[in-house]
Amino acid sequence: MTDLTDPRYSAMNRPTPPRRLITRLLDQEDINFLITNRVPRALLTRFMGWFSKIEQPLVARLSIGIWRLFADLDLSEARERHFASMHACFTRALKPGARPIDSDAAVLCSPCDAIVGACGDLDGTTALQAKGAPYPLIDLLGSQQRVDACRDGHYVTLRLKSSMYHRFHAPADLQVEHVTYIAGDTWNVNPPTLRRIEKLYCKNERAVIQARLIGHDAVLTIVPVAAILVASIRLRWLDVLLHMRYSGPTEIPASAVFHKGQEMGWFEHGSTIILFVPPGFALCDGIAEGRPIRMGEALLRAQ
């Protein structure tokens, strides 16, 4: 297995000339959009799902090395030193204590490492995926009952970059009551694509998780949204993997209790989580679009 925390590999984190060139190319929005979207997205995603699980030292080392050309991959906090495959690196756990959890009972903490995207007050039952790009919750959640639970509340979009820690955790003590799996496309969820594809989150594969906050009785809606290379979502309390080949029920009753900070699941690569809360909550100080946030940090506060 490949130990990518070994000092011999530290130089791979430094921006090399090829990586600088790739970064400059991807900074051009039109080129970025073409490279990451105008490809056979579903086929490429299925291929990556297969390829990333190959457990062969040379394949693991080379594939993770290529990944580093595109991303600032920091493995110093990883619990394991050795990765049998690229998939094992994608879904890595962290060392104990690497993400302190905000202990204030009135605070909902961030469920994941992310960049904060569009956030704020819902306009009735409409949210923004980017400035000037609204989407109705009915198109995202697929049920008027679920929409009504969010009406006039607040939302936060959390975008996981490919290099980030990919597991997500309970923002508070909660009980999961229901999961809806919605099959869909695998558009990239980066900013250039969000500005070009209308209702993108409503088009992509996703899971709608409804949970009730323990001790508050408010309904929290958590929506993990898949994307290109990542149409696979694992939820801890289900014994199936939700992905493009999943053919089971779309409505999945659940009864799973999680304590604040406890792991709920993970993405196979990196994507987006959208949180919806009813009236009675507000964004914590400093939460705004573009801010990096770590799992466990204060995100929303009960008023």
Side-chain angles (χ1 to χ4, degrees), residues 34-99:
L34 288 172
I35 291 174
T36 60
N37 290 288
R38 297 309 186 193
V39 293
R41 296 184 298 275
L43 181 62
L44 190 58
T45 298
R46 284 194 290 269
F47 169 78
M48 182 56 70
W50 166 80
F51 178 80
S52 68
K53 293 181 175 67
I54 296 174
E55 295 189 358
Q56 203 282 336
L58 180 60
V59 172
R61 186 165 59 251
L62 288 176
S63 56
I64 295 172
I66 293 170
W67 182 13
R68 286 181 185 270
L69 290 176
F70 293 85
D72 295 313
L73 182 61
D74 180 5
L75 301 175
S76 62
E77 296 177 315
R79 186 176 65 192
E80 306 296 334
R81 290 178 58 87
H82 300 278
F83 300 102
S85 65
M86 185 164 59
H87 176 265
C89 186
F90 284 158
T91 60
R92 63 192 180 275
L94 298 183
K95 296 174 183 176
R99 295 291 183 274

Side-chain angles (χ1 to χ4, degrees), residues 106-168:
V107 164
L108 303 186
C109 66
S110 177
C112 58
D113 289 6
I115 304 296
V116 177
C119 57
D121 300 339
L122 290 171
D123 181 6
T125 59
T126 300
L128 292 177
Q129 72 177 28
K131 186 176 180 180
Y135 63 90
L137 294 196
I138 188 64
D139 289 355
L140 181 76
L141 306 182
S143 160
Q144 191 59 52
Q145 181 182 10
R146 290 188 284 271
V147 170
D148 289 341
C150 305
R151 185 182 298 274
D152 295 322
H154 314 277
Y155 73 105
V156 185
T157 307
L158 300 168
R159 181 172 63 90
L160 291 76
K161 297 174 65 177
S162 66
S163 58
M164 289 177 170
Y165 171 59
H166 302 134
R167 302 191 179 204
F168 51 92

